[in-house]
């Protein structure tokens, strides 16, 4: 029996593939035609091919909240998400605008602080930010770039408008799945892939290496680059090792590095080797026990001294976490206006700050309808989706927000767009978001598309991989069909 989208339900949400019941959008037409020539058995066979491919390549992720606490294959849906070229152009412009403003903001608050002096952003929001690093005031980072790698989360509302949900400016993960998803889908649906003109993503690690080399201390040619990982028990360890392997650089843990006379070296079988640039996947707090958390076993004693001496470059720079703070996200449209004199191309999701009395009253009065997030959590932790929470959870968050208002924001619960997914032998709609990866080096480069994350549980709005979400391949077309 051939596959059919005849029973596919839109349920009132914006759908990526269908503009109305049974009315496919032009850029999905060929995909629909191709899928309708397949049978359930064909799809299951391809499902198994994809699973085997992921298993053989060790594409795994650890879900900390899973009671089993086990590493598992990263869930992958067979139906790609397709973005027309013109639609992507606007997203790309908005992302370039945003990363430019964020970097200008970071340079400003660690130097003249003009945006604070001009009252555009109240000073206390920055000075009370958990990841603001006054120790770095006046320090000039290489090439004046703070956020080198950013993962900006986008969602679409009921009308299909793209909105920015948050900026991940510390250690955004997931890009390895973008690359592996593409390889897997090419293997599983080679004929379908060839019928579209899909923009490539394979150049990402080459662009990343160029960026890291560009920020080498004193413009050193052919610098030694390394990826610093917390270790094999980190949920994203697969990605750390994948990126190091693809770039042809060493992956190291803190214990592999040593600092001598403000220079960083890695231990090798041939003795100590100088390291010039470190793509660190460790938060500031754990980076150097001599400067930040003294109990950190993951970092490198003395590395901040080497950094300040200009003998090693770090990506992302120390102190970028202040721009990752969900309270500071609220002010990004103001940053764009202040530094670039432009209106945001990609608007924020409406956001309420619990520290503001009027907003706090609104949050308290409407808590069951809102999404509440802790300012410095990531990966879906420290958040509550009001309409999907029981009374006990809502009251727990009410207390948390009242006890520490600076640390919480609230947003309306959006009906995120949906995309068809292959679930238990049928096509069913699941909510999705999009995380494009922005590289800021000699120029800003963005691989077309990014990671489309899927809330696999029916009705769920939580797409985070660390909370059991999955992903899709994302196709950006050269044209619009």
């Amino acid at each position: 029996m051939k596959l059919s989208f005849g029973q596919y339900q839109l349920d009132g949400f914006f759908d990526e593939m269908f503009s109305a019941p049974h009315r496919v959008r032009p850029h999905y037409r060929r995909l629909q035609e191709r899928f309708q020539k397949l049978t359930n058995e064909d799809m299951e066979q391809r499902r198994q091919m994809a699973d085997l491919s992921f298993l053989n390549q060790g594409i795994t992720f650890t879900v900390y909240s899973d009671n089993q606490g086990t590493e598992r294959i990263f869930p992958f849906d067979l139906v790609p998400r397709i973005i027309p070229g013109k639609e992507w152009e606007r997203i790309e412009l908005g992302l370039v605008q945003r990363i430019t403003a964020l970097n200008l903001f970071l340079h400003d608050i660690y130097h003249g602080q003009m945006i604070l002096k001009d009252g555009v952003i109240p000073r206390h929001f920055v000075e009370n930010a958990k990841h603001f690093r006054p120790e770095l005031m006046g320090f000039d980072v290489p090439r004046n770039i703070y956020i080198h790698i950013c993962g900006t989360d986008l969602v679409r509302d009921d009308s299909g408008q793209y909105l920015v949900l948050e900026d991940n400016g510390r250690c955004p993960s997931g890009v390895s799945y973008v690359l592996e998803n593409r390889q897997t889908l090419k293997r599983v649906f080679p004929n379908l892939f060839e019928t579209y003109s899909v923009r490539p993503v394979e150049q990402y690690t080459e662009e990343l290496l160029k960026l890291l080399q560009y920020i080498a201390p004193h413009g050193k040619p052919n610098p030694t680059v390394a990826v610093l990982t917390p270790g094999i028990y980190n949920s994203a360890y697969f990605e750390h090792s994948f990126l190091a392997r693809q770039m042809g650089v060493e992956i190291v843990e803190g214990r592999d590095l040593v600092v001598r006379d403000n220079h960083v070296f890695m231990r090798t079988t041939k003795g100590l080797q100088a390291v010039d640039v470190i793509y660190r996947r460790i938060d500031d707090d754990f980076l150097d026990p001599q400067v930040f958390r003294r109990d950190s076993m993951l970092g490198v004693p003395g590395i901040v001294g080497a950094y300040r001496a200009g003998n090693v470059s770090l990506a992302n720079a120390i102190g970028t976490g202040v721009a990752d703070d969900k309270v500071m996200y609220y002010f990004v449209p103001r940053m764009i206006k202040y530094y670039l004199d432009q209106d945001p191309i990609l608007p924020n999701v409406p956001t309420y700050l619990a520290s503001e009395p009027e907003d706090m009253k609104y949050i308290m009065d409407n808590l069951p309808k809102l999404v509440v997030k802790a300012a410095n959590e990531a990966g879906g932790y420290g958040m509550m989706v009001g309409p999907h929470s029981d009374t006990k959870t809502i009251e727990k968050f009410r207390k948390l927000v009242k006890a520490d208002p600076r640390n919480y924001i609230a947003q309306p619960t959006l009906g995120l767009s949906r995309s068809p997914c292959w679930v238990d032998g049928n096509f069913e709609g699941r909510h999705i978001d999009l995380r494009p990866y922005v590289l800021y080096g000699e120029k800003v480069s963005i691989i077309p598309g990014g990671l489309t994350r899927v809330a696999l549980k029916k009705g769920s709005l939580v797409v985070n991989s660390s909370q059991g979400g999955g992903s899709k391949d994302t196709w950006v077309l050269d044209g619009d069909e």
Side-chain angles (χ1 to χ4, degrees):
M1 185 175 159
K2 301 293 185 187
L3 300 181
S4 168
F5 288 90
Q7 300 300 314
Y8 184 76
Q9 300 294 317
L10 302 185
D11 296 326
F13 295 102
F14 182 90
D15 194 273
E16 300 289 340
M17 183 167 172
F18 294 94
S19 59
H22 313 299
R23 186 179 302 167
V24 68
R25 297 183 191 277
H27 50 287
Y28 274 96
R29 193 171 294 132
R30 273 174 284 169
L31 182 143
Q32 184 190 37
E33 290 169 359
R34 174 64 184 157
F35 274 28
Q36 288 179 339
K37 292 176 181 173
L38 301 175
T39 64
N40 277 45
E41 291 72 25
D42 292 331
M43 283 297 274
E44 282 310 313
Q45 189 181 33
R46 283 163 171 77
R47 164 84 277 149
Q48 291 171 17
M49 286 172 62
D51 287 348
L52 189 62
S53 173
F54 274 58
L55 185 65
N56 288 340
Q57 294 173 76
I59 305 170
T60 59
F61 202 90
T62 302
V63 180
Y64 294 134
S65 58
D66 185 340
N67 290 333
Q68 297 174 20
T70 52
E71 205 171 31
R72 68 183 199 182
I73 300 172
F74 192 62
F76 173 70
D77 183 65
L78 292 173
V79 186
R81 179 209 198 134
I82 304 176
I83 300 176
K86 193 163 287 182
E87 195 171 292
W88 175 251
E89 278 179 24
R90 182 171 175 77
I91 295 172
E92 201 170 35
L93 287 172
L95 293 172
V96 171
Q97 179 192 57
R98 201 166 177 97
I99 192 72
T100 303
L102 284 168
N103 270 302
L104 289 169
F105 166 71
L106 285 162
H107 183 271
D108 186 16
I109 63 161
Y110 287 112
H111 291 81
Q113 300 193 331
M114 296 308 297
I115 198 167
L116 308 185
K117 290 173 182 171
D118 287 340
V120 178
I121 299 176
R123 178 176 293 275
H124 66 90
F125 282 115
V126 170
E127 293 183 342
N128 294 330
K130 180 181 176 184
H131 296 292
F132 177 58
R133 303 295 183 195
E135 305 93 326
L136 274 297
M137 285 294 297
F139 175 66
D140 294 322
V141 300
R143 310 279 189 181
N144 282 337
I145 305 169
Y146 285 79
I147 302 180
H148 309 92
I149 302 110
C150 186
T152 296
D153 292 344
L154 306 178
V155 295
R156 303 184 83 172
D157 62 13
D158 290 342
S159 67
Q161 179 185 218
Y162 283 96
L163 303 168
V164 178
L165 192 61
E166 60 186 46
D167 305 287
N168 297 280
R170 284 181 286 169
C171 304
S173 62
V175 73
S176 57
Y177 305 118
V178 174
L179 306 180
E180 291 292 357
N181 286 353
R182 176 60 51 84
Q183 291 304 314
T184 298
L185 208 75
K186 277 184 177 177
R187 284 191 207 107
V188 173
F189 289 114
N191 295 333
L192 173 64
F193 191 83
E194 287 174 4
T195 63
Y196 280 94
S197 181
V198 181
R199 294 178 61 183
V201 297
E202 291 80 2
Q203 70 278 19
Y204 177 81
T205 50
E206 184 182 337
E207 294 288 336
L208 177 61
L209 182 58
K210 276 185 197 170
L211 180 163
L212 296 170
Q213 292 171 332
Y214 176 69
I215 61 169
H218 317 298
K220 182 179 178 179
N222 301 314
T224 299
V225 177
V227 175
L228 175 60
T229 176
I232 61 171
Y233 297 110
N234 184 271
S235 64
Y237 181 75
F238 163 76
E239 174 154 306
H240 305 163
S241 58
F242 173 89
L243 292 176
R245 189 169 61 251
Q246 293 293 315
M247 288 191 289
V249 305
E250 295 292 334
I251 181 169
V252 295
E253 297 183 29
R255 61 189 175 184
D256 299 321
L257 299 178
V258 61
V259 177
R260 298 277 188 273
D261 298 326
N262 279 337
H263 289 79
V264 180
F265 299 87
M266 61 181 164
R267 296 184 172 92
T268 74
T269 54
K270 297 178 181 175
L272 296 179
Q273 180 183 352
V275 178
D276 304 300
V277 183
I278 297 176
Y279 179 26
R280 48 96 174 213
R281 299 296 295 257
I282 293 177
D283 275 353
D284 290 355
D285 284 345
F286 301 96
L287 194 58
D288 186 340
Q290 293 180 355
V291 179
F292 302 120
R293 285 184 54 158
R294 296 186 179 280
D295 61 343
S296 172
M297 303 293 286
L298 304 174
V300 185
I303 195 171
V304 172
Y307 180 62
R308 293 186 66 107
N311 295 326
V312 68
S313 297
L314 298 174
N316 288 332
I318 296 174
T320 58
V322 64
D324 193 304
D325 185 312
K326 292 179 177 56
V327 171
M328 299 313 304
Y329 152 91
Y330 173 90
F331 295 105
V332 174
R334 295 191 195 180
M335 296 176 200
I336 292 170
K337 192 69 182 173
Y338 182 76
Y339 295 116
L340 305 177
D341 194 24
Q342 298 171 2
D343 294 321
I345 296 169
L346 296 170
N348 277 12
V349 173
T351 300
Y352 304 93
L353 302 180
S355 58
E356 302 304 286
E358 199 171 317
D359 285 9
M360 172 65 107
K361 182 176 184 313
Y362 181 84
I363 293 169
M364 290 296 112
D365 290 347
N366 295 278
L367 208 49
K369 303 176 189 171
L370 299 173
V371 177
V372 176
K373 298 176 182 175
N376 291 290
E377 294 284 354
Y381 297 102
M383 68 178 287
M384 179 203 75
V385 181
H388 296 179
S389 299
D390 57 27
T391 304
K392 186 178 176 184
T393 304
I394 291 171
E395 292 311 309
K396 174 188 162 190
F397 269 81
R398 190 184 300 280
K399 289 179 184 173
L400 289 170
V401 173
K402 281 183 177 177
D404 188 7
R406 167 59 180 82
N407 196 39
Y408 285 93
I409 66 163
Q411 295 171 326
T413 306
L414 298 179
L416 306 185
S417 67
R418 298 202 319 189
S419 176
C421 293
W422 180 248
V423 182
D424 298 331
N426 291 294
F427 292 110
E428 294 183 7
R430 292 290 185 270
H431 294 291
I432 59 173
D433 78 352
L434 178 65
R435 176 178 289 182
Y437 293 87
V438 186
L439 298 179
Y440 195 131
E442 190 170 8
K443 58 185 177 60
V444 178
S445 64
I446 306 170
I447 55 166
L451 184 66
T452 291
R453 301 184 298 176
V454 185
L456 291 172
K457 187 178 175 184
K458 189 171 185 178
S460 172
L461 296 170
V462 182
V463 298
N464 303 79
S465 313
S466 52
Q467 301 291 305
S471 72
K472 288 173 170 286
D473 192 15
T474 310
W475 294 0
V476 173
L477 306 183
D478 271 332
D480 286 336
E481 293 187 32

